Amino acid sequence: MVIFLKFWVVFIVSSFVSNPVAYIFNINRLLLRYYFRKCGSVQKDTVVVSVENFLYEASENLWLDFSCLVLSDPLRKIQLQSYSQPTNVTPEQIQILKDSTPSDYPKQWSGFAVPIGGVMAKELQVSPELWQEAVSGISRRRLLTLAGEGLAGMYKREIKLKVEVI
């Protein structure tokens, strides 16, 4: 186990769309979790780290799956983002997502109705948690750990800068 900084981790699950497309929407989705503070699920001064995956169409035949980590520290007024290394998704797998999304899906503008993990798991004959490793040789846990280490390093630097300013 790697310990980046000493803090409590609170997981908040929201269900807006199963598989968002494009990082701008995904960032907004992550920032929505910030507002859970207002409804009492998370105390106002709690540091929150949100993790979401999203698909990005880099070119006509190149789709990438990223994990985005957002750290929000309202007490220190710090908001940071970090991204995982991308994992390639073939156009055929994207077509399965498109075909699995009903034409009357109310959130179609923002993504697909079916998570990519389920599609990839079926195609690769692995569990949904293992598809990134089956494609790239790097586990989801490792991808998130590296992105988390980067986020923790940025957070540590920001805290140090805020202390130096005082």
Side-chain angles (χ1 to χ4, degrees):
M1 176 166 57
V2 177
I3 298 175
F4 307 123
L5 299 166
K6 189 174 181 177
F7 58 87
W8 289 95
V9 176
V10 178
F11 291 96
I12 300 171
V13 178
S14 65
S15 180
F16 189 74
V17 66
S18 291
N19 210 113
V21 175
Y23 66 90
I24 295 298
F25 169 76
N26 200 54
I27 295 303
N28 289 336
R29 181 177 168 186
L30 287 166
L31 293 176
L32 282 175
R33 291 184 179 191
Y34 173 79
Y35 295 103
F36 276 94
R37 295 177 200 285
K38 291 185 177 181
C39 60
S41 297
V42 178
Q43 294 180 1
K44 289 183 180 182
D45 294 341
T46 304
V47 176
V48 175
V49 177
S50 300
V51 179
E52 283 292 341
N53 275 59
F54 65 97
L55 292 170
Y56 174 71
E57 185 176 15
S59 66
E60 186 176 334
N61 292 316
L62 179 60
W63 285 78
L64 303 168
D65 174 82
F66 285 89
S67 293
C68 175
L69 288 76
V70 174
L71 182 145
S72 176
D73 181 345
L75 186 66
R76 294 179 183 90
K77 295 183 173 108
I78 297 173
Q79 179 120 348
L80 301 168
Q81 300 168 18
S82 179
Y83 297 88
S84 69
Q85 174 180 321
T87 304
N88 288 23
V89 177
T90 67
E92 294 78 21
Q93 292 149 339
I94 295 298
Q95 190 59 50
I96 293 169
L97 288 175
K98 289 179 181 178
D99 294 343
S100 300
T101 301
S103 60
D104 62 346
Y105 181 59
K107 300 169 190 163
Q108 192 173 24
W109 61 272
S110 62
F112 304 114
V114 178
I116 188 64
V119 171
M120 297 299 285
K122 186 176 179 183
E123 293 288 312
L124 300 166
Q125 298 180 354
V126 297
S127 69
E129 305 83 38
L130 299 176
W131 78 267
Q132 285 104 334
E133 187 170 8
V135 170
S136 68
I138 303 171
S139 69
R140 174 171 168 76
R141 180 184 187 121
R142 185 69 183 133
L143 292 169
L144 291 175
T145 299
L146 289 171
E149 287 174 359
L151 189 63
M154 289 185 280
Y155 184 52
K156 186 177 179 181
R157 182 176 180 272
E158 286 294 318
I159 289 173
K160 184 179 178 185
L161 290 172
K162 298 244 181 224
V163 170
E164 289 175 357
V165 169
I166 296 175

